[in-house]
Amino acid sequence: QYFNANAFEDAGAGWVIGQEGFTARALSARLEALLSLPSTLALAAEKAKTMGKADAASALADAVIAVAR
């Protein structure tokens, strides 16, 4: 999860709060700040859309079945 989260952050598609700094107060402050920046959230959402593969679960299942045969 750490490396996936960092990849999203590096691409501008999200923000990471490290485990040592992850508190209710830190999360609340981050969310409050981000909710006041709708254009920043929209840009991050667009970047996040480019990071995934729509049929990843299906492709993984197909690969597992192929190896099992």
Side-chain angles (χ1 to χ4, degrees):
Q1 290 176 340
Y2 171 82
F3 294 107
N4 287 337
N6 281 322
F8 271 76
E9 183 173 59
D10 291 345
W15 299 268
V16 174
I17 301 175
Q19 186 172 347
E20 67 286 347
F22 191 83
T23 64
R25 181 174 288 173
L27 179 59
S28 176
R30 178 71 59 94
L31 290 173
E32 187 176 329
L34 289 170
L35 289 173
S36 69
L37 301 168
S39 61
T40 298
L41 290 175
L43 181 59
E46 287 302 315
K47 290 181 178 183
K49 287 178 189 177
T50 69
M51 305 248 340
K53 184 173 178 182
D55 64 344
S58 178
L60 177 60
D62 291 344
V64 169
I65 291 168
V67 169
R69 289 184 182 169

